[in-house]
Amino acid sequence: MRKITEIIIHCTATPEGRAVTRADVDLWHRQLGFFGIGYHYLVLLDGTIAEGRPLWRVGAHCADHNRHSIGICYVGGLDSRMRPKDTRTPAQRAALRQLVDRLRSQFPGIRVYGHRDFAAKACPCFDAHSEYDIS
């Protein structure tokens, strides 16, 4: 198993309420030349957690951080005018919290960040570091 020290939260950058599946994200990432879906987990609108890449495999979600991180992406992140917005449904909020807590138990000392903490992006359209990191 690789050494994992970070969880990095992302959004799909799709309009609020638009259903996106794991297969959709997998296709988008393959079209970008990736091996397949770059995230380890995708949180759907109803709170379902779809598995992406296995944890032992390096993700493709955040330059210079993939080797030591877990990528989690929630569906949404934009309003109807395609502007950044925290669009997480109550089910997504609960699922994200449970997933982060489970991973924190599995990887003691892991830190939580948003993609925006490492790139000039709004993603995930909320302050994930403040919301989830307890270190």
Side-chain angles (χ1 to χ4, degrees):
M1 183 62 150
R2 61 197 177 92
K3 181 168 176 53
I4 297 172
T5 60
E6 297 172 343
I7 295 170
I8 302 175
I9 310 283
H10 302 262
C11 66
T12 56
T14 52
E16 185 170 15
R18 178 179 164 201
V20 172
T21 66
R22 182 201 181 284
D24 293 329
V25 177
D26 184 68
L27 176 63
W28 298 340
H29 285 187
R30 288 179 189 278
Q31 289 172 339
L32 291 172
F34 297 173
F35 171 74
I37 189 169
Y39 307 114
H40 296 95
Y41 298 99
L42 179 67
V43 182
L44 306 180
L45 294 174
D46 67 359
T48 299
I49 298 171
E51 293 190 12
R53 289 191 182 194
L55 288 181
W56 59 264
R57 180 168 282 153
V58 173
H61 58 91
C62 187
D64 299 324
H65 292 266
N66 290 319
R67 291 211 173 278
H68 58 270
S69 68
I70 296 170
I72 301 173
C73 184
Y74 78 92
V75 172
L78 299 177
D79 67 14
S80 62
R81 295 166 129 176
M82 304 302 282
R83 293 178 303 196
K85 178 183 176 187
D86 181 358
T87 63
R88 292 174 293 162
T89 65
Q92 284 176 309
R93 286 177 187 271
L96 270 166
R97 170 64 63 188
Q98 291 170 351
L99 179 56
V100 167
D101 289 348
R102 178 170 56 97
L103 292 169
R104 189 177 279 128
S105 294
Q106 188 175 350
F107 301 96
I110 198 166
R111 303 291 308 268
V112 182
Y113 299 95
H115 191 197
R116 72 186 199 170
D117 294 317
F118 304 114
K121 299 176 178 246
C123 177
C125 303
F126 71 95
D127 187 352
H129 185 70
S130 292
E131 185 167 335
Y132 295 112
D133 197 67
I134 59 171
S135 304

